[in-house]
Amino acid sequence: MEAEFVSRAVAAARAVAGQLYLRVDDAVVLQNSNKLALRLLPCDVFARVAPIGQEVAALEVELARRLAATASPVAALAPHVEPRVYERDGFAVTLWTYYEVVAPGPEWPGAYADVLQRLHTGMRGVETTTPHFLDRVAEAELLVTRTDQTPALAQADRHLLLRTLQDARERIRRRGAAEQLLHGEPHPGNLLNTRDGLLFIDFETCCRGPVEFDVAHVPEQVSAHYPDLDQALLAECRRLVLAMVAAWRWDILDEFPDGHRHGRNILTLLRQGPPWPTLGTLAAE
């Protein structure tokens, strides 16, 4: 969000908290992307704020409520206030428990795999309407074909991305794997290492698909601990995720820092061929 939007979003969150008799003397910005993440003090509540219509806040709140009932490893909504989306001055505000983050220990890869498996188990018991993961692939394909939305993408790179997205999609479809509700992007940035254990956040990309699509987002040392995976399917999902992320980096609305360089690095990997690395490996280079 731009500075003016940030100021208005903070004011909206403070106003909502005031209506709920939560004391707010300060609002610390923790993250500023398509949504604003705030720590409200001294009530110590975590607030997520987004322009109305540019979020799926109601789905996130509903999933958080239902997954908590299955003892799934997810961040909790704020206690003592009604669990819903609050609208104020053009913004949607949701309120969550704030967690202090601690450093991961040596058991982190195995623990990560365990909580992801537990999340998938809990999600199998939740019935809700969400997009299919291939709907997101179709959105990436459309982005690549729209030169007005990806004007800086070279024609050869455009063709490579489109071929990769289409080929990986069809190979995945032919595997005929079982599908279920997924997180959509359970990478380390959406996992909190807290004193209460590992907890997943940010369910705005929730979709339906094979568990391998979720596992494709985690580091290799984590996926090695996840049982009973179709390794051929996992490889194709990693390839697909790389191509999708590369497409987003060329979107004229993308705000990822140094996004074009990140996109070019992924294109180089796609040209080199398998084995397909995880996004975390790329980010660490």
Side-chain angles (χ1 to χ4, degrees):
M1 293 186 188
E2 297 180 356
E4 179 188 351
F5 260 67
V6 169
S7 177
R8 291 174 49 208
V10 169
R14 295 182 70 141
V16 167
Q19 290 176 338
L20 298 170
Y21 302 103
L22 298 173
R23 182 181 169 187
V24 180
D25 297 333
D26 192 17
V28 180
V29 177
L30 301 177
Q31 185 178 23
N32 179 11
S33 57
N34 61 321
K35 294 183 294 295
L36 195 67
L38 303 170
R39 183 183 183 184
L40 305 180
L41 295 167
C43 64
D44 216 11
V45 166
F46 179 79
R48 300 185 73 187
V49 192
I52 292 174
Q54 297 183 25
E55 34 65 44
V56 288
L59 174 62
E60 287 193 273
V61 169
E62 180 63 17
L63 281 174
R65 290 179 57 253
R66 297 174 70 175
L67 288 170
T70 69
S72 295
V74 297
L77 291 155
H80 314 307
V81 297
E82 185 181 353
R84 67 177 181 86
V85 180
Y86 296 87
E87 295 186 359
R88 178 79 181 218
D89 300 330
F91 291 95
V93 180
T94 54
L95 302 175
W96 305 78
T97 297
Y98 176 80
Y99 295 92
E100 290 286 352
V101 176
V102 298
E107 74 288 349
W108 182 79
Y112 192 156
D114 178 65
V115 294
L116 182 56
Q117 187 180 19
R118 285 171 50 207
L119 177 67
H120 288 153
T121 298
M123 284 185 140
R124 282 196 286 272
V126 174
E127 290 295 331
T128 188
T129 302
T130 62
H132 192 268
F133 83 107
L134 291 182
D135 295 338
R136 297 179 62 196
V137 179
E139 292 174 359
E141 288 182 23
L142 182 60
L143 186 62
V144 172
T145 62
R146 294 285 301 272
T147 56
D148 58 322
Q149 292 182 261
T150 53
L153 184 61
Q155 198 65 12
D157 295 337
R158 197 179 299 276
H159 289 156
L160 172 64
L161 281 180
L162 194 58
R163 287 197 308 270
T164 302
L165 288 165
Q166 292 173 344
D167 185 61
R169 178 193 65 201
E170 290 308 312
R171 288 172 182 262
I172 291 170
R173 198 198 305 271
R174 289 200 296 268
R175 300 297 295 182
E179 298 184 348
Q180 66 158 81
L181 189 63
L182 303 174
H183 181 288
E185 290 185 1
H187 53 68
N190 284 330
L191 184 68
L192 298 179
N193 194 54
T194 79
R195 292 184 176 87
D196 297 325
L198 296 172
L199 301 172
F200 283 101
I201 61 171
D202 199 352
F203 287 82
E204 67 176 350
T205 54
C206 191
C207 58
R208 295 196 67 81
V211 294
E212 284 80 1
F213 180 74
D214 258 5
V215 179
H217 291 79
V218 308
E220 288 187 32
Q221 65 267 35
V222 174
S223 62
H225 289 273
Y226 196 107
D228 303 323
L229 292 172
D230 180 333
Q231 294 298 325
L233 178 56
L234 176 60
E236 285 301 330
C237 286
R238 283 182 177 150
R239 179 188 179 206
L240 182 68
V241 168
L242 286 171
M244 290 170 65
V245 171
W248 299 333
R249 294 294 79 89
W250 296 98
D251 187 347
I252 57 174
L253 300 179
D254 186 53
E255 297 180 352
F256 190 89
D258 205 6
H260 284 183
R261 183 184 65 82
H262 191 240
R264 283 191 293 270
N265 289 344
I266 297 176
L267 286 165
T268 297
L269 292 173
L270 293 175
R271 285 195 171 90
Q272 290 173 348
W276 309 110
T278 62
L279 286 171
T281 301
L282 183 66
E285 292 179 352

